[in-house]
Amino acid sequence: MERLSVLCNHFDNDDNNQYLLQSNDVVATSTTNSNNQQTASVNNLLQLSSKIQLDSNKIEKLTAILFDHPDKQLQEDRNRLVDKLKDPIFEWKPYVSFHELRELTQNRLVALSHDPVLKCSEIVTNYKKFSMFQSTLVYSDMSLAVKSSVHWGLFAGSVACLGTEKHEKYFNDIDTCKMNGCFALTELGHGSNVKGVETIAEYDPATQEFIIHTPSDTAQKIWIGNAATYGCFATVFANLVSNGQNYGLHPFLVQIRDTKTLEPLKGISTADNGPKIGLNGVDNGRIWFNKVRIPKDNLLNKFGDIDNAGVYSTPIKNPNVRFNSMLESLIGGRITVANMANSAAKMGLYIAISYAFTRRQFGPTNQKEELLIDYITHQRRLFPQLAEVYINQVGINYVINKFQNKTDKDARDVFLLACGFKAATTWNRSKTLQLCRECCGGQGMAASNKIGILRADTDVDLTYEGDNTVLMQAVSKALLQEFKSYFTGTKRITGMLSYTYSKGHIGIFLRNKNFFTKRLHTESHLLDPDVLLDAFIYREFKLLRLLIKTLRGKVKNEKMSGIQAWNSSLDLVLQLANAYVERVSIEKFLEEVQKASDDIKPVLLSLCVLYELTKIENDLGWFLSNKYFAPIKGQAIGNTINKVCNSLRDHAIPLVKAFDIPSQFLTAPIIGDWVAHYSNPKNF
């Protein structure tokens, strides 16, 4: 709390240098001893890392970290799923037609439901298993993974999380795909702004039914997965109206098709969204409701209910809090999207790095040409992405555990962590697959080599389950709310800032622009992950301070409304959210490194340092313009990145093997003997 008081003084008075420098001296002294203890190991980081041989035993340790040290049951569940995916129906088929792929994906979903590995009830009780299930399906086929995520994650998840005990009777039919489901929230006129959804569900007390109706063209449900052909039931979000009063969005279970004929029921019209740039195994569609009647009990009534007379009741009186609680109950889907995106990035890296160790190009006359992996440009493109996949996975695991064990107290924290990590991980997935495609040259274009198809199939994750730009705004808004809550003494909104407050760094960084590390560019200094972490902490809080001042100035001096000030500052808003996610990612990874055995710790630290240096280099303009680094240090950062990349060269194959991608999915020809493969004229 004392550090927060100092921080408050800084915001109120920028010229209070005497007190601020005194605070710096105290904190700097307390950190010097611990830094000295680490100097020897930091100086030798690259040397220690290069001496390590990542044998099968060490690879297993890395795999355990990536899978968050799974217990025996989770390992058995994954093995069972992998065995099920060996059935010929799941064989990789990149050349089937549009309609064949739709039918194949549906048949694969049904095949998964036979003696199911995952059950509807486990989405609530064993979320870690659900996330593992979905991230593994990515290796088999992205269309199947998304279709499964819609059916079990969104449809089943909404019934389980938003319904009550009386809705548990549907679980078995959902698990066995007798109730093929979809999730109807998005409308033509409203996607990210779900509060603007127009669909009506008006209660009729005479028949004790709800009447579901599409009141306008913009109210049609659109881009609904499973809705074009195969979905027979839907969780429909509509405005609950009773006795003339609108109580806002609520979820309703609605049958939309006959389960045998697949024909739409009376009052329901559907249409196909047609071919897409990817993910064509998923039948996205549109739905219109023309005064469709459903039983009163089809209201998923965890957060709001109606009695027979139409009197509304709810455990959460505040409509905004109630609405947020509904969405937060389904946040597991957003976390799963992040986990699935990281799996896609892993597959791309496995293929591209494997190819780089066998493909040669250019070199000395009359000698073997150089391997692609030995070009620093190749390492510079692939190894930072490899590091980020490791860092992101540990962060995702952290959020998964927070979600599985969440309480009412930290539900908002989980919601916002999920927003941040979903955006950061999917953006990285997009960049990673593009770089992997380029690093494989023309071979990256081949459908048989998977990267191109995976890139197209996963592109939707940037906007579904929340547009990334909108999600990052939610993160920054929460940071501002928590900051305000401390200084006004109001109730804490989230715990997003408390960890950093407790580290004791803020007194140093926000007050002293000339601290002793500013001009240091020695290798030991730039290879210290804790020293580099300080830069991320500084940036986050400096951006927070700048955003507060900017918003205040626009409202006070430029006479803008609050929303005008916010919209005109969105560049800063996104910078702050990104800074927050990167800082949390580093902290969580370093926590995991501290628990790791000494025989893999130097490699993990090298990955962390590479991630940190790359992120700093990417935002070097900010650090230089804010005088956190001197220009000479910026140059040294680039040189050090090259050295770290080179030190990871011999670890690259073991590091991707630690992803534990089942061998049945590693079918890309360029992973193996691609010369023999392409020597056969019949092969693609």
Side-chain angles (χ1 to χ4, degrees):
M1 288 300 109
E2 181 181 352
R3 295 188 186 97
L4 279 176
S5 298
V6 174
L7 185 60
C8 181
N9 290 334
H10 175 67
F11 274 80
D12 290 341
N13 184 358
D14 287 337
D15 298 322
N16 193 10
N17 291 324
Q18 181 178 358
Y19 177 76
L20 300 179
L21 289 174
Q22 180 181 1
S23 173
N24 284 346
D25 293 339
V26 173
V27 183
T29 302
S30 68
T31 59
T32 299
N33 293 334
S34 60
N35 286 339
N36 287 338
Q37 294 170 3
Q38 297 181 34
T39 300
S41 61
V42 168
N43 282 337
N44 297 324
L45 177 60
L46 299 187
Q47 185 179 0
L48 288 170
S49 178
S50 63
K51 289 181 178 180
I52 291 175
Q53 297 292 322
L54 290 177
D55 56 23
S56 59
N57 178 260
K58 297 185 183 70
I59 291 174
E60 287 181 3
K61 293 179 181 180
L62 292 169
T63 300
I65 291 173
L66 291 173
F67 282 85
D68 196 26
H69 312 283
D71 58 27
K72 183 178 179 181
Q73 184 59 56
L74 189 63
Q75 289 175 313
E76 290 177 356
D77 290 335
R78 185 172 190 263
N79 291 339
R80 185 176 159 215
L81 175 60
V82 170
D83 285 342
K84 181 181 280 287
L85 294 171
K86 291 177 181 177
D87 188 292
I89 195 174
F90 298 104
E91 181 182 342
W92 171 247
K93 294 182 179 179
Y95 307 114
V96 297
S97 69
F98 172 77
H99 293 292
E100 287 173 333
L101 182 56
R102 284 264 185 100
E103 184 178 1
L104 177 61
T105 306
Q106 176 63 23
N107 290 339
R108 286 171 171 172
L109 182 74
V110 174
L112 282 177
S113 72
H114 297 154
D115 187 23
V117 174
L118 179 73
K119 294 189 176 181
C120 185
S121 59
E122 292 177 306
I123 297 169
V124 177
T125 61
N126 193 355
Y127 174 74
K128 198 170 186 178
K129 178 179 177 180
F130 169 70
S131 194
M132 174 278 294
F133 182 87
Q134 290 300 135
S135 61
T136 303
L137 289 182
V138 171
Y139 300 133
S140 175
D141 176 62
M142 193 65 193
S143 283
L144 174 62
V146 170
K147 196 173 181 72
S148 167
S149 184
V150 169
H151 177 72
W152 275 292
L154 291 175
F155 176 62
S158 60
V159 175
C161 296
L162 301 179
T164 52
E165 187 175 340
K166 64 183 176 182
H167 300 110
E168 293 177 5
K169 63 184 179 182
Y170 299 115
F171 285 6
N172 185 65
D173 284 348
I174 293 173
D175 287 336
T176 56
C177 282
K178 291 179 182 177
M179 287 180 67
N180 252 322
C182 51
F183 185 81
L185 175 58
T186 301
E187 296 181 353
L188 181 60
H190 293 92
S192 297
N193 181 21
V194 293
K195 284 188 176 181
V197 163
E198 300 175 64
T199 302
I200 301 289
E202 185 169 6
Y203 182 66
D204 181 356
T207 60
Q208 296 183 19
E209 293 174 317
F210 284 101
I211 304 170
I212 312 294
H213 186 64
T214 303
S216 69
D217 288 338
T218 55
Q220 63 180 277
K221 299 296 183 179
I222 193 168
W223 290 112
I224 309 303
N226 295 352
T229 305
Y230 297 105
C232 294
F233 294 82
T235 297
V236 177
F237 279 80
N239 290 281
L240 192 160
V241 177
S242 182
N243 296 325
Q245 185 169 347
N246 189 330
Y247 292 96
L249 280 189
H250 286 70
F252 299 84
L253 185 61
V254 183
Q255 184 171 356
I256 60 174
R257 281 191 178 87
D258 184 279
T259 57
K260 295 181 180 179
T261 66
L262 298 184
E263 290 297 319
L265 299 182
K266 181 181 178 181
I268 294 174
S269 301
T270 63
D272 201 317
N273 279 121
K276 307 183 287 290
I277 63 170
L279 212 67
N280 280 308
V282 180
D283 53 313
N284 292 89
R286 296 175 280 165
I287 312 173
W288 292 262
F289 302 93
N290 185 11
K291 298 181 179 179
V292 176
R293 289 181 173 268
I294 63 171
K296 170 179 168 290
D297 282 350
N298 283 29
L299 167 65
L300 300 177
N301 60 331
K302 180 177 181 179
F303 293 102
D305 205 355
I306 289 285
D307 67 14
N308 291 342
V311 177
Y312 182 78
S313 61
T314 176
I316 305 175
K317 301 301 180 184
N318 186 310
N320 290 325
V321 175
R322 182 169 65 247
F323 178 76
N324 288 335
S325 296
M326 287 185 193
L327 297 185
E328 287 166 11
S329 296
L330 300 172
I331 200 62
R334 191 166 289 163
I335 304 167
T336 299
V337 168
N339 210 9
M340 292 166 65
N342 220 37
S343 287
K346 290 173 187 175
M347 177 63 88
L349 286 166
Y350 193 106
I351 295 168
I353 288 175
S354 297
Y355 184 53
F357 272 89
T358 61
R359 170 70 164 169
R360 295 180 181 273
Q361 201 77 174
F362 303 110
T365 305
N366 298 324
Q367 296 183 35
K368 274 189 174 183
E369 293 179 282
E370 296 288 339
L371 289 168
L372 292 183
I373 201 65
D374 289 326
Y375 288 97
I376 189 61
T377 48
H378 221 70
Q379 295 178 8
R380 272 278 202 148
R381 286 188 286 177
L382 293 177
F383 290 177
Q385 303 311 117
L386 177 60
E388 186 154 359
V389 162
Y390 267 78
I391 272 74
N392 283 345
Q393 190 61 61
V394 171
I396 291 166
N397 293 343
Y398 167 68
V399 183
I400 287 172
N401 283 318
K402 288 275 287 185
F403 177 76
Q404 181 158 309
N405 301 301
K406 74 178 187 300
T407 62
D408 291 342
K409 182 179 179 181
D410 60 14
R412 192 65 180 163
D413 288 18
V414 176
F415 178 80
L416 294 159
L417 283 166
C419 290
F421 274 94
K422 184 270 181 182
T425 306
T426 54
W427 271 328
N428 181 65
R429 187 274 315 149
S430 178
K431 180 180 180 181
T432 298
L433 291 180
Q434 179 62 32
L435 288 172
C436 288
R437 211 295 297 159
E438 294 175 22
C439 285
C440 294
Q443 299 289 20
M445 292 293 292
S448 60
N449 285 322
K450 290 197 170 186
I451 296 174
I453 288 180
L454 195 57
R455 182 186 60 176
D457 283 349
T458 55
D459 201 59
V460 68
D461 65 21
L462 301 171
T463 49
Y464 80 165
E465 282 285 351
D467 179 284
N468 285 354
T469 301
V470 176
L471 296 183
M472 286 304 229
Q473 290 182 53
V475 173
S476 287
K477 185 175 289 187
L479 292 170
L480 291 174
Q481 287 174 326
E482 178 158 345
F483 193 86
K484 178 182 178 181
S485 71
Y486 169 77
F487 292 113
T488 60
T490 57
K491 183 180 179 181
R492 185 183 72 93
I493 306 289
T494 74
M496 299 174 74
L497 301 180
S498 59
Y499 182 81
T500 302
Y501 285 154
S502 69
K503 289 182 70 66
H505 291 24
I506 308 309
I508 301 174
F509 298 128
L510 282 181
R511 296 163 181 74
N512 191 349
K513 295 181 179 179
N514 295 300
F515 65 100
F516 78 101
T517 61
K518 179 180 173 182
R519 298 186 64 85
L520 287 179
H521 56 279
T522 58
E523 190 170 284
S524 61
H525 175 63
L526 291 175
L527 293 174
D528 188 330
D530 288 317
V531 169
L532 297 175
L533 173 59
D534 292 344
F536 289 84
I537 297 171
Y538 174 85
R539 181 183 60 169
E540 181 185 343
F541 277 83
K542 194 70 182 285
L543 285 168
L544 177 61
R545 174 181 183 269
L546 178 60
L547 180 57
I548 291 170
K549 286 191 170 184
T550 299
L551 293 172
R552 184 182 297 157
K554 288 178 182 293
V555 171
K556 184 176 180 181
N557 302 326
E558 300 180 40
K559 309 303 179 184
M560 290 186 181
S561 66
I563 192 168
Q564 288 174 328
W566 179 263
N567 288 339
S568 65
S569 305
L570 286 177
D571 53 339
L572 281 176
V573 169
L574 295 184
Q575 287 180 56
L576 172 59
N578 184 66
Y580 163 75
V581 175
E582 288 180 0
R583 188 263 302 168
V584 172
S585 298
I586 295 165
E587 288 177 340
K588 295 308 167 187
F589 191 76
L590 287 175
E591 288 176 14
E592 189 64 47
V593 171
Q594 291 305 312
K595 297 182 286 186
S597 60
D598 291 340
D599 55 354
I600 60 170
K601 191 172 289 186
V603 176
L604 293 171
L605 286 172
S606 296
L607 290 171
C608 188
V609 167
L610 180 57
Y611 174 87
E612 292 173 301
L613 289 175
T614 302
K615 293 298 183 183
I616 290 172
E617 185 182 54
N618 291 343
D619 205 16
L620 194 55
W622 187 92
F623 287 104
L624 292 175
S625 63
N626 283 273
K627 299 180 180 180
Y628 187 87
F629 292 139
I632 190 173
K633 190 165 185 176
Q635 181 180 351
I637 285 171
N639 295 334
T640 306
I641 289 175
N642 290 348
K643 290 183 178 181
V644 178
C645 283
N646 188 58
S647 75
L648 289 169
R649 189 264 190 205
D650 292 338
H651 298 319
I653 292 295
L655 284 169
V656 296
K657 284 185 176 179
F659 295 158
D660 196 27
I661 301 175
S663 59
Q664 70 222 54
F665 306 127
L666 299 173
T667 58
I670 57 174
I671 290 176
D673 188 348
W674 45 270
V675 174
H677 179 87
Y678 288 108
S679 296
N680 184 343
K682 296 182 179 180
N683 287 340
F684 291 115

